[in-house]
Amino acid sequence: MSDPLPRIEPDRLVHEPARLAILVILSAVEEADFLFLLEQTGMTKGNLSSHTARLEAARYIEIEKTIVGKTTRTVYRLTDAGAHALALYRDHMTGVLELLTSRAGSPSNPPTER
Amino acid sequence: MSDKFDDGALDEMGLRARAAGYRDGLLELFAAGVLGSLAVSWLVGPGSAGILAAMWVLYGWKLVDRIRERIIYPRIGYYKERADDSKDSTRGMLAFIAGSFALMALVVIVTGGATDAAEWRRAAPLVSGVTIAAGFRYAAVRSKMARHNAIAAWSAVSGGLAWWVGTGESYSYVGWHLLGVAIPLAIVGAWTLTNFLQHHPVADGE
């Protein structure tokens, strides 16, 4: 029998799909506002607000409110800590998937027919 | 949003966000303005047309920024593109431009006109063709949009055509080539912008 799988403990804050999406989008741009994140993620306003608040509390993103014309614009930026957490999470998950794939293909774990 | 981890899907999501700036057609309209005004100044001669071209090159992007602020951001939100500071991109662009001059020299030498100034003038559209193609190929790499590759291909092909039919009496074929790229660009840009505005109504505030 092969060795048991190592204990998997991804960053729970990043592991949540909605927050992961926010981090990925913010990693692709310099900065973006609330409406842009709303359009890109397809979340509801309430959902997006609560997830960004959690990410801000963890200092993974920073939030700045500015006035443009007569409206308020809330701008979000990924912090270095957020970029690091995202990179670490992706590396971690890719490694886990590779491990699982290699185990599934190893002689001690032959693929089963469905 | 799927619960399963999919690295490819995450890349796709990042790419979609990064390409947001290319969806509205303003890049094409800006490029059409630059190339069109350069073409006119090339064909009419420097002077007022040259000043127009210089103004467009210097201030055109500021105009694009204003348009984005007024009509694009209220629809899809504000974003600022991450600057591309990779040395590979700069090297690639420089290689393309150097390659375009090398291509011109090669064509002139192969056709036996190295000492003939008219042959050099005739081959000049090859430089504009390949240089503009390089710019749109770069845009295509960032945006992953087929229309940018199509514009790049058209620029290279039309540069070749301008060389083929050119006489070399003057540099006017460079102007015709620039105009030949600017007009389709303006059409593509206007069509894309119209489509974009139709499909993206102004959103509610935050």
Side-chain angles (χ1 to χ4, degrees), chain B residues 147-165:
Chain B
R147 70 171 189 266
H148 293 145
N149 274 327
I151 294 164
W154 168 242
S155 174
V157 168
S158 57
L161 281 174
W163 163 73
W164 187 257
V165 301

Side-chain angles (χ1 to χ4, degrees), chain B residues 4-37:
Chain B
K4 288 181 185 165
F5 178 78
D6 182 348
D7 210 38
L10 295 184
D11 285 338
E12 192 64 37
M13 197 182 288
L15 183 72
R16 209 170 83 86
R18 207 168 20 246
Y22 297 94
R23 283 158 55 197
D24 53 26
L26 288 174
L27 171 75
E28 286 83 352
L29 287 173
F30 169 73
V34 171
L35 298 180
S37 55

Side-chain angles (χ1 to χ4, degrees), chain A residues 13 16-26 32-39 41 43-65 74-79, chain B residues 206:
Chain A
L13 207 68
E16 207 287 323
R19 288 194 289 271
L20 180 58
I22 294 167
L23 290 175
V24 168
I25 291 163
L26 289 178
D33 74 354
F34 188 81
L35 185 57
F36 185 81
L37 289 178
L38 210 57
E39 212 246 354
T41 58
M43 286 183 220
T44 61
K45 287 181 181 181
N47 240 336
L48 182 59
S49 286
S50 71
H51 285 304
T52 51
R54 289 198 65 179
L55 288 169
E56 189 198 20
R59 303 203 174 174
Y60 284 178
I61 63 172
E62 55 187 22
I63 303 176
E64 188 188 345
K65 285 190 187 287
T74 313
V75 176
Y76 300 85
R77 274 180 227 101
L78 191 67
T79 61
Chain B
E206 288 184 4

Side-chain angles (χ1 to χ4, degrees), chain B residues 77-160:
Chain B
Y78 158 82
Y79 57 90
K80 187 174 171 191
E81 235 183 291
R82 197 170 279 281
D84 179 9
D85 46 12
S86 80
K87 285 180 180 161
D88 284 351
S89 310
T90 314
R91 270 193 223 118
M93 288 296 284
L94 290 175
F96 244 110
I97 293 168
S100 68
F101 279 98
L103 177 69
M104 175 174 78
L106 185 72
V107 165
V108 172
I109 291 164
V110 167
T111 54
T115 55
D116 186 354
E119 280 301 311
W120 287 97
R121 282 195 294 270
R122 194 179 151 223
L126 293 173
V127 175
S128 53
V130 176
T131 304
I132 297 165
F136 275 95
R137 177 68 195 126
Y138 174 74
V141 168
R142 279 182 78 99
S143 70
K144 300 272 186 269
M145 288 175 182
R147 70 171 189 266
H148 293 145
N149 274 327
I151 294 164
W154 168 242
S155 174
V157 168
S158 57

